[in-house]
């Protein structure tokens, strides 16, 4: 029987999963709604059903499981600490519950971190310093210095998505208490909220046809906000690349990244060398990276 690995990417809206063999060849993938408000047992039961179904249908044995999850979270205890984008799951040790149910090792890390690991596993560019920004229900960020993920005290993940960046499009505030943080301006929730509240249009409709001064200001503010976030990260960490991932990566790639890169190139040479790239793995980066996390831990 073939041994394989299962990776889950838990976002505020959906959970994506991927099964790979030890050489990272894809066997199966899929997704299901997170529905965090239904509680931890509902999520765990879904994950266990997926695990059992995959083993039966593919006639494989899943050796270990990796999980990427929106933070903050405690990677040592496996406890989710986010009552805002994952209400109903907070203060539960996802790893302990799954390990007890499935009798196999489960590894947990921040979703941006595992997406970052996934991206670097599929690249061969010799990059030492990189940053991954994920735009979905929230805004995640992973920093990698000298090929090692940067962590704060007690191995916590830096919540860079709540940095101050610029003037928001509306007066509504983020759950962190600020109106001007990256998550309240650049996340999928914020972008779609503001597009509907201000113009009753989809985000893409506004960018495709900014036929008023108000729409033009809206478009430029989003571009300027992403630029400000990237400039601050570039000046602090001086990465070789910044990777844009998450559910909104296709939108940013199509409408925003090129203009932000042009502005970034005009910075002083030491800070203007950073290249902005869209995720190569797209929506599979998190689940793929969760498996990379397992393989890294079990070396």
């Amino acid at each position: 029987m073939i041994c394989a690995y299962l990776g889950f990417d838990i976002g505020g809206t959906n959970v994506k999963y991927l099964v790979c063999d030890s050489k990272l060849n894809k066997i199966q993938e899929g997704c299901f709604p997170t529905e965090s408000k239904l509680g931890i047992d509902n999520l765990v039961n879904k994950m266990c059903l997926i695990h059992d179904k995959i083993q039966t249908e593919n006639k494989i044995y899943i050796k270990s499981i990796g999980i990427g999850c929106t933070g903050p979270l405690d990677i040592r205890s496996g406890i989710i600490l986010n009552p805002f984008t994952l209400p109903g799951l907070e203060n539960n040790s996802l790893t302990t519950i799954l390990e007890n149910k499935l009798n196999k090792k489960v590894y947990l890390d921040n979703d941006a971190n595992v997406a970052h690991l996934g991206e670097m596993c599929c690249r061969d560019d010799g990059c030492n310093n990189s940053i991954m920004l994920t735009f979905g229900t929230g805004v995640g960020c992973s920093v990698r210095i000298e090929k090692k993920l940067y962590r704060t005290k007690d191995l916590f993940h830096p919540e860079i998505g709540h940095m101050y960046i610029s003037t928001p499009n509306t007066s509504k505030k983020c759950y962190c208490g600020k109106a001007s943080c990256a998550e309240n301006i650049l996340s999928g929730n914020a972008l779609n909220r503001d597009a509907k509240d201000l113009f009753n249009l989809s985000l893409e409709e506004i960018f495709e046809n900014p036929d008023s001064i108000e729409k033009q200001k809206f478009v430029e503010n989003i571009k300027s906000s992403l630029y400000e976030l990237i400039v601050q990260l570039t000046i602090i960490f001086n990465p070789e690349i910044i990777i844009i991932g998450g559910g909104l990566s296709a939108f940013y790639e199509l409408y925003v990244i090129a203009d932000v890169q042009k502005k970034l190139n005009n910075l002083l040479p030491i800070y203007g060398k950073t290249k902005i790239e869209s995720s190569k793995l797209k929506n599979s980066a998190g689940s793929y990276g969760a498996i990379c996390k397992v393989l890294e831990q079990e070396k």
Side-chain angles (χ1 to χ4, degrees), residues 126-186:
C127 175
N128 290 321
N129 297 347
S130 55
I131 289 175
M132 178 102 185
L133 289 169
T134 57
F135 297 94
T137 303
V139 174
C141 180
S142 171
V143 178
R144 179 173 159 272
I145 301 172
E146 294 299 321
K147 298 185 178 180
K148 292 184 179 180
L149 293 177
Y150 171 74
R151 301 183 190 275
T152 61
K153 183 184 177 185
D154 295 326
L155 302 182
F156 276 83
H157 177 78
E159 290 295 331
I160 288 170
H162 295 289
M163 285 173 56
Y164 175 90
I165 52 172
S166 61
T167 304
N169 284 309
T170 72
S171 60
K172 292 182 178 178
K173 291 184 178 181
C174 175
Y175 58 82
C176 74
K178 299 190 295 293
S180 299
C181 74
E183 189 154 317
N184 198 47
I185 301 173
L186 296 171

Side-chain angles (χ1 to χ4, degrees), residues 7-285:
F8 288 102
D9 178 17
I10 302 175
T13 304
N14 292 306
V15 177
K16 294 177 280 292
Y17 64 87
L18 177 69
V19 186
C20 290
D21 62 21
S22 59
K23 294 183 179 179
L24 292 174
N25 296 307
K26 183 174 74 174
I27 297 173
Q28 187 176 332
E29 65 181 335
C31 71
F32 57 87
T34 307
E35 298 177 318
S36 67
K37 291 181 180 179
L38 297 180
I40 191 72
D41 290 338
N42 178 69
L43 176 65
V44 167
N45 288 339
K46 285 183 180 181
M47 295 170 80
C48 290
L49 285 173
I50 292 293
H51 165 275
D52 296 344
K53 185 178 180 182
I54 288 169
Q55 286 196 142
T56 301
E57 289 182 352
N58 295 282
K59 296 181 179 178
I60 61 174
Y61 174 72
I62 294 174
K63 184 181 178 184
S64 306
I65 297 169
I67 301 173
C69 182
T70 64
L73 45 83
D74 186 334
I75 66 172
R76 292 180 295 192
S77 66
I79 294 177
I80 298 171
L81 299 170
N82 191 336
F84 303 106
T85 57
L86 292 174
L89 304 184
E90 70 275 14
N91 300 321
N92 288 285
S93 175
L94 183 57
T95 54
T96 299
I97 297 170
L98 273 174
E99 285 177 348
N100 289 338
K101 280 185 170 288
L102 298 175
N103 194 30
K104 55 191 62 175
K105 189 64 180 175
V106 180
Y107 302 92
L108 177 73
D109 207 334
N110 179 271
D111 57 346
N113 275 346
V114 297
H116 201 170
L117 281 175
E119 283 293 319
M120 301 319 296
C121 281
C122 78
R123 294 167 182 259
D124 186 23
D125 51 14
C127 175
N128 290 321
N129 297 347
S130 55
I131 289 175
M132 178 102 185
L133 289 169
T134 57
F135 297 94
T137 303
V139 174
C141 180
S142 171
V143 178
R144 179 173 159 272
I145 301 172
E146 294 299 321
K147 298 185 178 180
K148 292 184 179 180
L149 293 177
Y150 171 74
R151 301 183 190 275
T152 61
K153 183 184 177 185
D154 295 326
L155 302 182
F156 276 83
H157 177 78
E159 290 295 331
I160 288 170
H162 295 289
M163 285 173 56
Y164 175 90
I165 52 172
S166 61
T167 304
N169 284 309
T170 72
S171 60
K172 292 182 178 178
K173 291 184 178 181
C174 175
Y175 58 82
C176 74
K178 299 190 295 293
S180 299
C181 74
E183 189 154 317
N184 198 47
I185 301 173
L186 296 171
S187 69
N189 277 359
L191 290 171
N192 292 316
R193 173 201 69 199
D194 295 345
K196 183 177 181 180
D197 288 352
L198 294 173
F199 307 105
N200 199 29
L201 294 170
S202 72
L203 194 58
E204 290 76 12
E205 286 174 321
I206 297 169
F207 272 75
E208 286 286 348
N209 186 31
D211 56 359
S212 68
I213 293 175
E214 289 77 15
K215 289 178 184 176
Q216 290 166 16
K217 287 182 178 179
F218 179 82
V219 167
E220 287 307 311
N221 190 52
I222 291 170
K223 291 179 180 179
S224 295
S225 295
L226 181 61
Y227 171 73
E228 289 298 331
L229 176 61
I230 286 177
V231 163
Q232 291 183 69
L233 296 175
T234 298
I235 290 172
I236 296 168
F237 298 108
N238 197 17
E240 295 149 74
I241 59 171
I242 290 182
I243 305 164
I244 305 296
L248 270 289
S249 61
F251 163 78
Y252 279 108
E253 181 178 17
L254 183 60
Y255 296 108
V256 182
I257 289 177
D259 287 342
V260 173
Q261 182 73 69
K262 287 178 183 177
K263 292 180 71 175
L264 190 64
N265 290 344
N266 290 327
L267 282 173
L268 293 172
I270 190 172
Y271 300 122
K273 296 178 181 179
T274 299
K275 186 177 180 182
I276 307 170
E277 299 182 2
S278 186
S279 167
K280 289 186 177 182
L281 293 171
K282 306 302 180 186
N283 284 333
S284 297

